[in-house]
Amino acid sequence: MIQNELPSIAKSVWSATSHEPPECPPFTGNQETDVAIIGGGFTGLTAALHLAKSGVCVTLLEAETPGWGASGRNGGQLNPGLKEDPDKVEQHFGPAYGKRAVETSGKAVDLVASLIAEHEIDCSFSRPGWIQPIHDMSAWSTVARRVAQWQRREAPLRMLSETETADLLGTGAYKGAMLDERGGQLHPLNYAIGLAKAAIKHGAKLHAHSRVLGIEKQGASQVLRLNTGQLRARRVLICTNGYTDQVAPQHRRTVVPIRSIQIATDPLTDNLRRSILPHGHSASDSRRLLLYFRLDADGRFLMGGRGDYSESGLKRQFAALHKVTRQIYPQLEDTPFTYHWGGYVAMTADHYPHLASAGDGVMSAMGYNGRGVAMATALGKVLADWASGVREEDLDFPVSKLQPIPFHFMRRPAVAATIAWSRLRDTWG
Ligand SMILES: Cc1cc2nc3c(=O)[nH]c(=O)nc-3n(C[C@H](O)[C@H](O)[C@H](O)COP(=O)(O)OP(=O)(O)OC[C@H]3O[C@@H](n4cnc5c(N)ncnc54)[C@H](O)[C@@H]3O)c2cc1C
C-alpha cells in the first residue's frame, strides 16, 4: 500500500512488489549544504545522484519516502520525446534551443538505460519498444506526421498496419499504430529506490519524512524551514511536480495536477500471457484521454487512464477502466483486478515541461504532462548541470520563465470541463 494516501488509490502493484528502500533518516537540526533538493522523485533523485557524483555537497528532503509521488506510481513506460512533435518543439523554442529540446527528449530513454547500467539498478528494465495504437482513423494522420518528423531526424519509428498492430498488441481493437523502437519499460518504484541508493552511495544525504515548510532568502543563502530544523543552502532545486504545495506558491500556479489511475491483475496464466502483448511492448493509445497498458515483468496486466478528484468520480473511473480493458481484451473477462491506485501528473498550459529559475539560486523542473519517467530523469541531470554552474544558454534544455496559469484557483472545474469535452471528442472521432 502507498502510505499516507487515500485508501481508494493506495493499492499499488509497485508498492506490493518493490525492493527494500534505503535508510533515509528524517532531517533534524541546523545544517548547511551546497545544494538542497526538495522532492524525492525521478527529478530530485537524478539531480542528487549527478551532483553527488561530481563531488557537490547535496541534501535531498522528501516529505514522504523516495518515489512516493508520481515516480513510484506510474505506468513505468519509457516513452521518448515530448507531448508535442519535434517540428512544433523547434518552432516553440526556436531553432537552436528547440533542436536541443528535441535531442534531449529523444535520447532520454538512452540516459535512463545508461544510469541503470552504470549503477546496476535492479528495476526490470527492458526495451522492446513503445506502441502508440490508433483508436480511430481520425488520429491516423496525426500519428503518421509524428513518425515522419522523427524519421527525418533518423529515429527508429514506423507505422504498423492494422494486422501488424493486432499481432503485437493481441487485440483487434485498433486501426493501426506507431512503433517507436527507442521506447522501454521498468518497475518505477524500484527505479526510484535504485536511484536513491546510488545517490547515497556517492555521498548525497537523503532525508525521508522531511517536509519543507518554507524557503527564505538570508544573505547569499536560502534557508529551508522544516518542523524539525533548518537547512541553509547555496542553491535550491524544486522538484515537486504534481505534488507542489505552499512551499513554492509561484511554481504551484504553473501546473495543474491531474489524477491518473491504474489497475493491475495478478500474474496471468501462460496462455493469457501469450495472447496479450506477446513481445513485451508497452502501449499508450491515441485518445485525448489516453489509455496506457503493458505487462509487468511477472506477467501482470496493467491498464491506466484518467482519474478524478472526488471519491465518487474515482469509483466511476475505476469501473470505466475495468470495462474498457475487457472491451479491448475480452480474454480478461474473468480475470480480477487485484490492484487499484493512482497519483498526480502535472500538466502545463503549453504542454511543455518547464525548467525555470525563481531567482537567487532557486531552480526548478516540473510539468511533464504525464510523460516524465524518461524526461524527469533527463531534466534532473540538466538541473544538476545548472546548479553546478553550467550557463543557462549551454544547458541541454531551454530555460523558460515561470508562467502562472490564469485563474489557477478555478483549475478543478476547468479540468472537469476539459475532460468531458475530450471524452466527447474521443467518442466522436
Ligand atoms: C498514475 C500515473 C501514471 C503515469 N505513467 C507514466 C508513464 O507510464 N510514463 C511516463 O513517462 N510518465 C508517467 N507518469 C508521469 C511521471 O510519473 C511523472 O512525470 C514523474 O514521475 C515526475 O517525477 P518528479 O520527480 O518530477 O515528481 P514526483 O515523482 O511526483 O515527486 C515529487 C515529490 O515531491 C515531494 N514533495 C512535495 N512537496 C514537498 C515538500 N514541501 N517538501 C518535501 N517534499 C515534497 C512529494 O512527496 C513527491 O514525492 C505517470 C504519472 C502517474 C501519476
Side-chain angles (χ1 to χ4, degrees):
M1 297 290 274
I2 302 169
Q3 299 299 308
N4 298 328
E5 184 50 282
L6 290 175
S8 55
I9 54 163
K11 198 172 178 197
S12 151
V13 73
W14 308 128
S15 303
T17 59
S18 66
H19 301 316
E20 199 55 38
E23 186 111 357
C24 300
F27 181 88
T28 53
N30 288 340
Q31 299 190 27
E32 273 191 37
T33 189
D34 269 345
V35 181
I37 299 178
I38 308 178
F42 299 145
T43 309
L45 292 169
T46 22
L49 173 56
H50 289 291
L51 286 164
K53 251 190 88 182
S54 57
V56 175
C57 178
V58 55
T59 306
L60 183 149
L61 303 165
E62 162 56 49
E64 299 287 342
T65 46
W68 181 86
S71 297
R73 310 175 184 214
N74 57 67
Q77 297 200 14
L78 290 156
N79 304 341
L82 297 167
K83 275 274 175 197
E84 300 291 3
D85 293 334
D87 286 1
K88 193 159 177 196
V89 176
E90 288 187 12
Q91 269 168 23
H92 181 84
F93 290 112
Y97 292 116
K99 194 159 186 283
R100 230 178 281 172
V102 171
E103 270 175 24
T104 300
S105 63
K107 291 192 175 142
V109 186
D110 296 341
L111 178 64
V112 173
S114 70
L115 280 178
I116 289 171
E118 182 184 346
H119 301 285
E120 298 177 345
I121 297 177
D122 178 9
C123 62
S124 312
F125 171 66
S126 65
R127 213 167 171 183
W130 162 47
I131 295 177
Q132 186 174 40
I134 296 170
H135 74 288
D136 183 282
M137 283 315 281
S138 63
W140 184 280
S141 56
T142 309
V143 176
R145 218 172 18 247
R146 179 164 309 136
V147 168
Q149 290 184 18
W150 278 113
Q151 281 176 340
R152 267 195 278 119
R153 292 164 175 87
E154 297 180 354
L157 279 80
R158 65 192 164 89
M159 295 299 286
L160 301 175
S161 69
E162 192 166 352
T163 315
E164 286 173 300
T165 304
D167 286 347
L168 291 187
L169 296 181
T171 169
Y174 291 96
K175 314 286 181 202
M178 167 191 104
L179 171 64
D180 185 338
E181 289 174 8
R182 300 169 299 176
Q185 52 188 291
L186 43 65
H187 184 306
L189 186 51
N190 279 343
Y191 177 48
I193 287 172
L195 288 171
K197 287 180 177 164
I200 292 170
K201 193 169 156 198
H202 284 277
K205 289 185 189 157
L206 266 60
H207 297 284
H209 306 294
S210 302
R211 182 175 293 280
V212 180
L213 301 174
I215 311 171
E216 194 185 299
K217 186 162 164 48
Q218 285 183 12
S221 312
Q222 299 285 346
V223 177
L224 278 58
R225 184 170 47 82
L226 291 89
N227 264 334
T228 49
Q230 60 176 38
L231 176 65
R232 183 176 288 275
R234 205 169 45 83
R235 299 210 194 289
V236 178
L237 307 184
I238 298 179
C239 305
T240 47
N241 205 46
Y243 291 85
T244 306
D245 60 14
Q246 286 309 336
V247 78
Q250 265 183 300
H251 293 80
R252 193 172 186 214
R253 287 194 297 274
T254 66
V255 292
V256 174
I258 290 189
R259 242 189 212 134
S260 186
I261 55 169
Q262 284 182 86
I263 53 179
T265 65
D266 283 326
L268 300 177
T269 60
D270 286 348
N271 265 351
L272 274 176
R273 207 162 157 170
R274 274 193 293 273
S275 77
I276 297 175
L277 294 159
H279 300 284
H281 295 93
S282 53
S284 45
D285 74 16
S286 59
R287 288 175 170 84
R288 288 169 185 83
L289 302 179
L290 63 86
L291 294 168
Y292 51 99
F293 46 99
R294 55 171 282 205
L295 295 172
D296 78 356
D298 298 320
R300 298 177 186 86
F301 179 79
L302 279 70
M303 172 67 85
R306 187 50 48 86
D308 201 284
Y309 294 121
S310 70
E311 281 289 343
S312 57
L314 279 171
K315 209 169 162 192
R316 260 196 321 276
Q317 294 306 335
F318 276 122
L321 211 48
H322 290 179
K323 188 170 164 204
V324 75
T325 302
R326 289 172 174 142
Q327 281 166 354
I328 296 172
Y329 288 111
Q331 57 270 54
L332 293 177
E333 185 58 42
D334 299 321
T335 307
F337 296 104
T338 312
Y339 302 95
H340 295 80
W341 75 103
Y344 282 128
V345 301
M347 311 302 277
T348 55
D350 59 10
H351 304 159
Y352 292 102
H354 297 160
L355 184 67
S357 158
D360 298 328
V362 181
M363 299 146 174
S364 61
M366 61 177 68
Y368 301 103
N369 292 273
R371 187 76 77 89
V373 180
M375 217 33 222
T377 302
L379 289 197
K381 179 173 186 304
V382 176
L383 270 182
D385 290 342
W386 199 9
S388 312
V390 174
R391 294 180 321 163
E392 258 181 56
E393 50 274 35
D394 296 329
L395 295 172
D396 284 339
F397 197 85
V399 174
S400 45
K401 288 209 162 58
L402 282 176
Q403 298 160 23
I405 296 172
F407 301 106
H408 191 259
F409 61 95
M410 294 284 287
R411 62 196 177 278
R412 289 197 173 194
V415 166
T418 310
I419 287 178
W421 177 231
S422 299
R423 189 165 287 128
L424 270 180
R425 293 175 74 198
D426 281 339
T427 311
W428 291 339

